[in-house]
Amino acid sequence: MKKRILWIGLMILGAVAVAFIVNLALVIRIPNTQMQVTMTEKFNFPSNQWVFSPPSSAASKKVIRPSADLLYSILCYDVSQHPLRVTAMLSEYSSISGFSMNTDNFFVIDDNQAKSNPIEVVLISKGMTYQDTTGKAYVITAPSPQGILMIGAVVTSQADLPNLAQIQKQATAELVR
Amino acid sequence: MIVVVAGTSAGYFTVKPVVNLIPLWSNVKNGPWSTNFSMGSTGANPYVRAWVAENGLMALNKSEVIYLDAYSDDDANPLVSSCDYIIQGRAPDARWWDITVYDQDGFLIANDQDRYSFSSTDITFEPDGSFKIHLSNTYQQGNWLPSGNTKTMSIYLRLHNPGPAYLDARTLQTMELPHIIKESSQQ
């Protein structure tokens, strides 16, 4: 009888251990899968190009909980082969940020922190080197070769919208070959 | 064999509940508001990352933005569009802030005014410096946030470049945050 109880206990313990391992393995895959789906199916933007988005509205369904008060530009980066150099004018209350495939926000620089305006960021992948000769660029190592860069600017009034859009559309991106 | 099948099934079917549950343990709560300081952070655990992936992709880390969400009013009743609410308080200590309402799926609520939020730069303050937002599906004078025709709602308070008190879990838990008060039910 005791042996039987011990045996059942061991089986339950084993099932719990397997459940934990399977659960964790699946959970770890969720961020990467969601980022992949967002980049390739929802956005479907060409790599390494800024894409300007109009202000979010009730029709915006690509990303959950969009901000109605921000103007976004999105860039799906791929720095697996070459560094990527981006420049962006940062208007008041705006920032440029990066997201790796595990959803981590691996850098964010806002208009108060930027050492120059337009700000210059050179994104490199692990193992790459880049020598910034200008001293103006932020050289940032991306945790994953692919991911998302975002410029977000607060729309303080509807009257400012055309001007903010114009500023954001001046953002540039080029691979450094 | 039965151990592997049972364990695999349990591990698979508990993914969603666990992802929705585990980040709650590390949430900072204050009345109806809550946030997770690990959101967007490189120090987030796999469960917080999975939650962010499904509920708030492209969240910035807390030094830039703190996201406080509320799914209920001050009395812990779920927010529903068939009720009218007042969101009232004092301007938070942040460089810029906004309050946005979302439908049950986390999207902006359609309305004729295209009004989805109020921010520190477009809200009308009361003479004493406080603010009052009417969350209702019928026209209201003042700061009216239309709640449309959705089932449940959530409210997001975004604090851009928050003051130091908001970056400390202990002070955030006890400080005065906007109240969400149910005014009336239309049912």
Side-chain angles (χ1 to χ4, degrees):
Chain A
M1 185 64 180
K2 272 186 183 173
K3 259 188 172 178
R4 198 187 167 99
I5 291 170
L6 184 69
W7 183 239
I8 291 170
L10 282 173
M11 282 178 69
I12 291 171
L13 209 61
V16 169
V18 171
F20 175 75
I21 292 165
V22 169
N23 188 278
L24 185 61
L26 291 171
V27 165
I28 285 172
R29 290 173 62 93
I30 289 174
N32 203 294
T33 305
Q34 282 287 355
M35 285 289 282
Q36 202 70 47
V37 167
T38 301
M39 291 165 65
T40 58
E41 292 175 24
K42 293 183 179 175
F43 290 159
N44 195 21
F45 299 154
S47 289
N48 301 323
Q49 287 181 31
W50 285 112
V51 177
F52 172 77
S53 305
S56 297
S57 68
S60 308
K61 308 284 186 193
K62 286 180 180 169
V63 175
I64 199 165
R65 295 198 178 92
S67 171
D69 298 300
L70 292 177
L71 263 190
Y72 296 105
S73 283
I74 300 289
L75 181 150
C76 295
Y77 72 77
D78 182 349
V79 290
S80 54
Q81 302 297 318
H82 304 281
L84 176 70
R85 179 178 169 273
V86 299
T87 65
M89 278 290 288
L90 294 182
S91 52
E92 193 180 13
Y93 308 118
S94 64
S95 64
I96 181 168
S97 50
F99 302 89
S100 57
M101 291 304 285
N102 67 0
T103 75
D104 284 359
N105 171 213
F106 63 91
F107 84 91
V108 56
I109 304 165
D110 64 33
D111 58 304
N112 268 349
Q113 300 161 332
K115 56 186 177 186
S116 66
N117 203 5
I119 187 171
E120 187 177 330
V121 174
V122 178
L123 202 62
I124 59 175
S125 61
K126 286 176 185 167
M128 271 181 191
T129 53
Y130 178 87
Q131 194 62 48
D132 172 42
T133 51
T134 65
K136 286 197 299 185
Y138 292 87
V139 180
I140 295 169
T141 304
S144 58
Q146 284 90 28
I148 293 174
L149 295 184
M150 179 175 80
I151 300 169
V154 168
V155 181
T156 50
S157 77
Q158 288 302 306
D160 281 347
L161 198 52
N163 186 38
L164 286 172
Q166 189 59 35
I167 289 172
Q168 214 166 93
K169 285 175 181 173
Q170 290 172 21
T172 67
E174 59 173 344
L175 286 172
V176 183
R177 295 174 195 273
Chain B
M1 184 64 180
I2 195 167
V3 168
V4 175
V5 172
T8 303
S9 304
Y12 177 82
F13 287 110
T14 53
V15 165
K16 207 164 177 70
V18 168
V19 164
N20 286 329
L21 196 66
I22 285 193
L24 290 180
W25 292 349
S26 53
N27 269 7
V28 180
K29 295 185 187 71
N30 181 333
W33 302 100
S34 72
T35 188
N36 193 305
F37 277 170
S38 303
M39 273 177 79
S41 152
T42 52
N45 69 47
Y47 290 92
V48 170
R49 285 196 179 110
W51 187 91
V52 167
E54 300 209 322
N55 297 282
L57 206 59
M58 295 190 280
L60 298 174
N61 67 53
K62 67 174 183 175
S63 65
E64 191 63 28
V65 183
I66 287 182
Y67 307 87
L68 288 149
D69 57 23
Y71 292 85
S72 62
D73 61 21
D74 276 13
D75 294 325
N77 296 311
L79 297 169
V80 290
S81 68
S82 55
C83 293
D84 289 355
Y85 300 91
I86 293 272
I87 306 165
Q88 64 181 32
R90 298 215 156 257
D93 173 25
R95 187 175 172 217
W96 186 86
W97 55 268
D98 75 341
I99 289 176
T100 308
V101 63
Y102 295 101
D103 67 13
Q104 67 267 18
D105 298 319
F107 297 116
L108 299 167
I109 298 172
N111 64 85
D112 293 340
Q113 287 68 32
D114 289 335
R115 167 62 74 177
Y116 311 108
S117 63
F118 280 98
S119 75
S120 52
T121 42
D122 71 1
I123 198 166
T124 303
F125 288 95
E126 300 287 311
D128 66 358
S130 66
F131 68 84
K132 196 181 274 186
I133 297 171
H134 301 269
L135 178 58
S136 169
N137 61 13
T138 54
Y139 172 78
Q140 305 285 321
Q141 273 204 322
N143 301 311
W144 174 40
L145 203 46
S147 55
N149 185 24
T150 180
K151 290 176 189 164
T152 56
M153 303 180 288
S154 61
I155 302 171
Y156 241 45
L157 168 59
R158 288 184 182 82
L159 306 171
H160 290 245
N161 297 142
Y166 291 88
L167 297 170
D168 184 321
R170 283 167 302 178
T171 51
L172 181 56
Q173 278 170 338
T174 54
M175 65 170 41
E176 186 84 1
L177 291 175
H179 292 280
I180 305 170
I181 301 157
K182 186 161 94 174
E183 270 211 309
S184 64
S185 175
Q186 293 162 19
Q187 287 175 338

